[in-house]
Structure formats: C-alpha cells, structure tokens
Amino acid sequence: MKLTLDALKPGNECFVKRLASRDILGQRLMDMGIYPGLKLKVVRNAPLEDPMELELDGFYLSLRHEEAKYVEVEQV
Amino acid sequence: MKREKTLVALAGQPNSGKSTVFNALTGASQHVANYPGVTVDKMTGHYRYDGIRMEVVDLPGTYSLTSYSLEERVSRDFLLHENPSVVVNVADASNLKRNLYLTFQLLEMEIPVVVDLNMMDVAERRNIEIDVKELGRQLGADVVPTVIRTGKGKKKLIKSIRMASRSEKPFQPLRIDYGPMEPFLAKIETRLSMEKSISGKYPPRWFSVKLMEGDSEARELVRKHLAGADEILGFVEKERHSFESEHDELPERHIAFRRHLVADKISKTCIRPKEDTKTPLSDRADKFICHRFLGPAFLVGVIYMLYYLSIVQGYNITNYTWPVLAKFRSLVESILPDPGFIAEPLIRSFSLWFVDSINALLNYIPIFFILFGLIAILEDSGYMPRMAFILDRLFNKFGLHGQSTLSMVLGGIYVGGCAVPGVMATKGIPDERARLATIMIIPLLNCLAKVPLYVLMINIYFVEQKGLAMFFIATISLLIALPVAKILTLTVLKNRDTAPFIMEMPPYHIPTIRGVLGRAVERGWLFIRKIITIVAAIAVIIFVLLQFPGISDERQAYYSEEKEKAIATFYKKIKGSPYAEELKGENLMALILYWNEYKTAKMMTTGEEAAKELNQKFEEENPVFFKIVQPKKDRVAKKVNRAFKKLFKARKKLLREIKKEKIDNSFLGRLGHSMVPFTQWAGFNWRVNVSLLSCFAAKESSVATLGALYQQEEEGETLEKRMKKGEVGFTPLHALALMLFMVLYPPCIATTIMVKIQSGSYRWMLFSVIYPIILGIIVATLVFTGGTALGLSGLQAMFAFYGLALTITIGMGFVKAKNVK
Ligand SMILES: Nc1nc2c(ncn2[C@@H]2O[C@H](COP(=O)(O)OP(=O)(O)O)[C@@H](O)[C@H]2O)c(=O)[nH]1
Ligand SMILES: [Mg+2]
C-alpha cells in the first residue's frame, strides 16, 4: 500500500513522491510549495488532531488530514 | 507642461510586507495584517519622484498567478489589462525559495520587475546570507534588499522603480526551462504567431505557457480575440493530451514542478545555507500556543481578554464619554423651541429623537475602538492563523472554516461584537461555501446592540440567576449558529465550491503601534461612516412611523380640556397670594421651563460649592420663580410650591398619556397590534412587537422604544421598575422567548448592506433577513407555548432549551457534508 502524508505522526520526516489529486487541490499544494522531491516534516497536529502542521524548507503550513491523503510520500 | 504618470503594481506572496511597502511609498496608512488573505481589494495611492506622479497599486497577496482563486484573478487581471509600467515584487528574504515561485510568473509576463528583497532583518537573524548581485544577474531583474518596516532600503527601491519604469533597454528576464515540455510550448507559440490579431498584445511565451497550463482565462482571451478560436483551443488540448500520455503528468503540474526546480537551483547558488539548524522562535512558541491542552486554554484566555478589555473596560470609558454626549444633547435642546404645556413642537421632538438615536450609537465608540485595536494586534502578531489552526476541526464539522474565526470573534462569539466588521472579514475565507455560511450566521451572534435588551430582561425576570442567565444567552447564540451553519451547508449551500485548507502559519511579529492604531481608526471610521449614516436615515423613518398619523382632533380637544382644568385648579389654589399676579398667562409656562431647567442643572452638579453657585445663578435670573422653587421657610411660597408641584405632575401625566396614545395610534403601533395574533404564541404583546419592529433600524432601539412605551410615573424611576409595573402578566417565560427572538433577530440595515457586498447578491441579502425571522418565531413559540404547556418556569425552560440546542449541535457535528470542488 502507498504511504500517504496523513498517516505520518508528528516528528516524522518524508520526501514527497507524487500528488495524487488531479484537481484544484493538487494545484494548490503545488502553489503552496509542496512538490515531488521536497523533503518535509510533520511538526504537530492541532489540539483536535486535525489539521496538521508541516515544516517545509523554513516555513510552516497547515493542512487537513483529509487533504494530506492526496500526498504520496516516502518516509526517511 | 506635460504631466507624466507611472503606474506601479505591488505584487508578492501574503505576509511578504507588501502593504508595509505600500505605506512606506505612499505614506497612506493601509491595512497591514499578518494574516493570509486579508487584502482582497486592491488599494491605490501615489507618491512623487523626479516630478513624476507614481501611482501605486497594492495587489492582493498570492502564492501563484493561476486563476483558481479570487485574489489570484484580481492580481492577474490587473497586470494583464491595466498596463503597469513596473511590477515591484515584494519577496520575503527569509523565505526566498518559496517566493521565487511567484517571481518567475511575474517575470514571464514581461513587465519590468523590481524585486524588493524585504525582511532582510529576519533573514539576517536566521543567518541566511543572500548574494543579491548574483540573484539579480540570474533573474535578469533589479534586486533591492530592504527592511521596509524600518525604512531601510526605501530610497534605493524608489530609485530602482524609476529606472525600471524608464526601460531604456528591453527587459530580458530569466527564461524558465520547462524541460520536456519545451517542444510542446514551441509548437503552440508558432501556432499563435500566425495570428496577427494578438501579436504584440500578449507576450507569446507567457501565452503559450498559460494555454498549456489549461488556464481558463487564457482560453477566454483566445476566444475573445481570435476568429478560429475553437480550432486553436482544440490544437492546444491535443498538445496537452499528448504531453500527459508521454510523460504521465498533468501539464500544469509539470509547469509548477519545473518552477520549483529552478527556484531550488537558484536558491542553492545565491543563498549561503544557514549553518545552525535550531528551531525558529515562532515554532518554539507554537509548542505552547498550539499545544493540545495549553493551546485551547490560551485561546479561551485570549478571547476572554478581548471581551474583558473591550466590553468591560470600554464600558467604563463610556462613563466618561457619555456626559459629553449628554451635554451635546442639552446644547441641542437649549437651541430648540421650548415645549408647550402639552404640545411639543415637531421640530423639537424630531431633533431630540434624532440626537438620541445617534448618541446611542456614538456611545459605543470607545468599546469598538478598543475591540478593533485588539483585533489588529491579533492579526498583526500572527496569532489569527493559530486560532484558525486550533478551531478548524470544530468549525469544519459545521460547514465553517478555520478562517471563520476572525469573523466570529468580530461578530461577537461570546457577547458584544458587531456583525458589520464580522461580515466584512469573511472575504479572507478561501472556501466559498464556508464563506457564505459564515456570512449567514454572523448576525446570529451576540452583537453589542442586542445586549441592552438582555440586560433589561435579566434584571427584571432573572434577578436571582443573573450570572447563569447571562452565560446562557452568551453561549446559546453559538449553539444556534453552529447547527444553522450546518443545515445551510447541507441544503442551500450544498452545491457551492469548497476549497482545501492549506494555510501558511507565518512567523510571529511584534505588532507596530502605528499599524494597530491605524487599523483601529480605519475600522472605527468605517463603522461611524457606514453605521451612523444608515442609522440616521432609519431613525427618521421610525420617527415618522411612530408620530403619525397622530391623535384625532376629538382626543386633542379632550386633552386641551384636561389641561385647562388643571391650570384652573392651580390658579384657584393660589388665588390671593402675591404670586398669583406673577404667574399669569405666559409666565406659568416660563415657570415650568424654569423649574425643569433648575432640576436638570441640580442633578448634574455635585458638591456644596457648586450647588450654592447654582442657586445664586437661578436666583439672579428670576428671584420670584426661585422663591417658588425653593420656598424655604416662607409659608406663602410653600403653598404655591405645593400647588405648582401638583400641576407639574398633572402635566406630566397628560404628556405621558398623549405619547402613549400617539404610539398606540401610530403606523408602527397599529402594525404591532395587528401582529399580535401571530406573536401571541411567542408571548409577545403589541408593545413588544412595536419595540421589535423599531429594531430593524438598529437593535439598540429596542430598549429605547420600550422606554418610551413604559413612561415614568415618578421622577427617576428605572425602566426595570416601570416595565415590571406596566406588564403584570409578563413572566420569565415571556422574557426568555423574547431574548431568544433577539438572538435570532435579523441583521440590522448596515449589516444587510454588508451582506450584499460580501455575498455579491440581493438574494442572499434577502435570505439573511428572512430566515432568522422565521427561525426566531419558531424558537420563541416553542419556548413560550411549549414551556406554558409543560408548566415550566422560566429557568426550567432555559435549561430545557439549552439541552435541546446542545444535543442538536452535537448531533449536527456528526452529519457529514460532501465536498464540492
Ligand atoms: N521584521 C520585519 N517585519 C516586517 C517587514 N516588513 C513588514 N513586516 C511585518 O510583516 C507583517 C506582514 O506585513 P504586510 O505588509 O501586512 O504584508 P502583506 O500581506 O504582504 O501585505 C507585518 O506584521 C509587518 O509589520 C520587515 O522589513 N521586517
Ligand atoms: Mg497586505
């Protein structure tokens, strides 16, 4: 089974492999700086578990798990 | 003399400091916010340099220039169609790589670009070293490092803008290498070059990249300008397909990917990698601020402080500002024509009504100023996105969005906000469905104007449980708003677009005093302008509706008769006294006014010295009248005093009866009466109806109108007492139904207008007015009729309703809504 970003826990690091969304979500992810080959880290989950906070190359994004499902990753 | 004008566009990613650059350049104070997506409208200003007028436009912050979001479309359209001479790309130096992604897209449009490498102080603090020269060489554009918040680099930036605008040499920016896509792009470019009608209008490279991206607006341009549009678009579509099948990747993804690759390459050659990798301060702070338990606790604390400082402390300030407003009223009163014995000149009653209406609103200004200032601090500091982060899960369950938080706080998530700025702030919400849902529920929150009615009702009918009742009313609005949002999401908003919640968590900043004050003043001013003008207009209408058609001639004659009787009695009583002669004819009315004036003046003075002075002043003015007012030991004067007091009281009673009859008989009163068959099930009598009707203008009218309906019988009697006396059959259950109706009261006129602006349609505006009325009647009827049938007390009904609302809210949270993209 493919590993996706939503399955990662805080502290985990990974490389982005593929964005599995063909629609606006995929484009938004790209525009916000999530692209194949990028290394990122899950920093924390929100107090109610969702959304999650990511660190990528010196800046921070928050993303819902439901959307993180579309980011295929490879854990480091 | 020729007047030259140069158009300069400011573009950049959110939080790069565009608005700060705009302010530094133009000197105007404009919204500066550390919150993604605050600027959607473009702002314009200007400055002069070299005798040339430089028009500056602050475009909305965007991460990219596709046409997926409103902000991006606004920026793109401006750059494409308004022909700016220069684009200043404000980029965050501490995050250069990510910012380059947008820079490339700007360069592609082939408008001269100056890159403002802002936030150099932050970059330095983080040990990021940037080779500015090399960066400029690679980009093919001027790069100016600045710390614009302190003004560092501003001069150089202004000079660079001027240089770029002169454009002596053609602008030859970096050309992104799209790798395997290049042959496809070349084909489209060749195809486009055959079309005479657009050659030179749009940069050919840019156009082909956009078409390859499948950009909807680029396609629109083809349709608009080219005769054989369908053929060309078909050709492009074929190319897109063959690229995808050859490379197993969507063309638009590949384009974005390539841009990231180039950004990565450039940043590797121009940025000295930072040596220490210790976590930035903001992230360490977030360990606590977004902590599982501390985070929500901190959030509650922040919201509590917000209301404590603005509502409680702001209210204390009104103790100082209210006398100023009261003085203003007296001033107006003093220049108006005097009232007659029972007839008040229309101009007088109208002017006083008008001043009272406006004063009621002006009284809130200190509260709003503090509230707006504090919210500016929250926005500027960067805490807002954290609030969104913490609350998104909860709000999302009800069809709202993490970024609804700001709107809801402004609208009064606990007690005391204002729906106007609340609805206004919804423009930052990227998800259309959540945005509309937020707009629709903001008026259900507890705006400041609803509070006086709550306080009145609680002080009369829930005296024993004041704290509990206040907590009930403060939180019930949210328990109604959330399920309503969910129901709207599942029904009328079902097919609206949703957007992913990908939000930047910017680093914390220390807010600047100038930024905070600037915004507090700006929002406050907006409030005054928008609200006061509208409320003033409506005050006039309500006045007319309450005054006319007035009292019949018959009744008028009756009141005149009563008046003559009272006066005759008075004269009979004082007959023979030396004062009788002095109080003949017009002098009697003069004494009434004198008496009134003295009493009011006396009420406003404190201290013995001042009282003495006051007495002296009034004695000098009219020694005879003074004797009657202050008879002391003089027996004759005392007798006159007593008789006069009776007359005075009789007059008051007449005035009260006339006013009551006037309202009773007025258009609004008749409407209130005619509504009783419907509203009786909710426990509203005609007086309550009239007061609720008068709220359409502004909700603070509710208490004022009730005040007019329950006239004073004794001097200084509070409205609480008067109402209790006037409504014998009124129970706590009535009060509860009324309070709940107030929670669900339709938005005021000013909010309605804002709803129209933010939702962009009259239909939504109408909807926002109608659904709360229906819901309000249902809820009030349920509570009153249901409560009566079950024999519940007010308090029991309160608990029952709270339980019901809580159950529905929790239940609604589990219903899933489908996403639409
Ligand atoms: N340290 C630092 N902060 C800055 C600088 N320029 C702007 N800021 C802050 O960055 C935040 C975002 O600025 P703003 O102008 O609203 O960005 P915009 O979203 O691009 O319009 C504000 O808190 C500013 O005070 C700078 O040169 N240095
Ligand atoms: Mg801005």
Side-chain angles (χ1 to χ4, degrees), chain A residues 21-22 31 48 57 64, chain B residues 97 101 244 253 392-393:
Chain A
S21 160
R22 282 180 65 89
D31 288 348
L48 297 170
D57 248 343
R64 288 179 185 148
Chain B
K97 189 182 135 190
Y101 184 76
E244 197 184 344
R253 288 307 136 70
D392 181 65
R393 172 76 177 271

Side-chain angles (χ1 to χ4, degrees), chain B residues 404-610:
Chain B
S404 308
T405 314
L406 172 64
S407 291
M408 306 213 6
V409 169
L410 280 165
I413 206 169
Y414 190 62
V415 152
C418 179
V420 178
V423 172
M424 205 161 70
T426 55
K427 70 178 168 194
I429 303 171
D431 181 313
E432 188 184 41
R433 186 164 75 187
R435 195 168 56 82
L436 281 170
T438 312
I439 293 174
M440 290 300 129
I441 59 141
I442 291 291
L444 302 186
L445 301 177
N446 283 323
C447 82
L448 215 47
K450 293 181 182 175
V451 176
L453 184 77
Y454 299 154
V455 172
L456 180 73
M457 290 295 136
I458 290 175
N459 277 338
I460 304 176
Y461 299 104
F462 295 97
V463 188
E464 307 277 301
Q465 309 88 15
K466 245 187 218 173
L468 195 69
M470 207 59 214
F471 177 80
F472 165 80
I473 207 70
T475 48
I476 194 74
S477 64
L478 193 62
L479 290 185
I480 295 175
L482 289 179
V484 166
K486 188 56 173 273
I487 292 168
L488 295 179
T489 304
L490 292 171
T491 55
V492 280
L493 295 173
K494 193 170 63 198
N495 295 322
R496 293 284 164 156
D497 288 346
T498 56
F501 178 74
I502 312 176
M503 182 185 66
E504 195 193 346
M505 304 271 270
Y508 291 103
H509 287 281
I510 295 181
T512 57
I513 293 175
R514 190 182 159 214
V516 169
L517 284 184
R519 190 112 45 87
V521 170
E522 184 197 335
R523 280 205 180 132
W525 177 233
L526 192 96
F527 173 78
I528 295 175
R529 243 184 19 209
K530 275 238 158 64
I531 316 298
I532 303 286
T533 46
I534 291 160
V535 168
I538 299 299
V540 176
I541 296 173
I542 299 279
F543 177 81
V544 171
L545 290 179
L546 275 175
Q547 283 282 325
F548 296 98
I551 302 175
S552 66
D553 291 346
E554 221 172 285
R555 296 292 295 165
Q556 195 77 48
Y558 161 77
Y559 284 119
S560 289
E561 222 169 87
E562 289 294 301
K563 162 189 156 189
E564 294 308 332
K565 263 195 231 160
I567 294 177
T569 315
F570 173 69
Y571 281 134
K572 216 166 96 195
K573 273 189 195 154
I574 63 166
K575 207 166 168 188
S577 93
Y579 294 101
E581 205 48 39
E582 300 276 356
L583 293 177
K584 270 213 173 119
E586 297 203 334
N587 280 355
L588 181 62
M589 198 56 221
L591 175 61
I592 291 175
L593 296 176
Y594 179 90
W595 179 286
N596 255 340
E597 224 169 89
Y598 179 74
K599 293 276 146 162
T600 346
K602 189 119 188 227
M603 230 155 46
M604 301 234 276
T605 48
T606 43
E608 234 162 83
E609 272 304 303

Side-chain angles (χ1 to χ4, degrees), chain A residues 4-20:
Chain A
T4 51
L5 182 57
D6 60 308
L8 298 192
K9 299 270 166 289
N12 289 352
E13 286 186 69
C14 65
F15 283 102
V16 176
K17 270 171 57 185
R18 208 174 79 91
L19 303 182

Side-chain angles (χ1 to χ4, degrees), chain B residues 579 631-642:
Chain B
Y579 294 101
K632 300 242 168 76
K633 293 243 154 52
D634 187 326
R635 286 198 37 222
V636 184
K638 229 179 191 162
K639 197 175 144 209
V640 178
N641 173 283
R642 240 175 285 136

Side-chain angles (χ1 to χ4, degrees), chain A residues 21-23 25 27-28 30-32 35-36 44 48-50 57 59-62 64 66-67, chain B residues 63-64 68 72 95 97-98 101 244 250 253 257 260 287 292 392-393 500-501 503 505 819:
Chain A
S21 160
R22 282 180 65 89
D23 53 30
L25 173 63
Q27 193 62 39
R28 287 297 291 168
M30 272 287 194
D31 288 348
M32 297 294 285
Y35 61 94
R44 63 175 59 83
L48 297 170
E49 284 301 312
D50 205 27
D57 248 343
F59 64 98
Y60 296 80
L61 289 183
S62 93
R64 288 179 185 148
E66 166 200 344
E67 290 144 10
Chain B
Y63 293 97
S64 178
Y68 284 113
E72 296 188 5
N95 248 320
K97 189 182 135 190
R98 191 194 62 188
Y101 184 76
E244 197 184 344
L250 282 174
R253 288 307 136 70
F257 176 64
H260 280 301
K287 271 207 179 70
R292 185 177 294 255
D392 181 65
R393 172 76 177 271
F501 178 74
M503 182 185 66
M505 304 271 270
N819 278 356

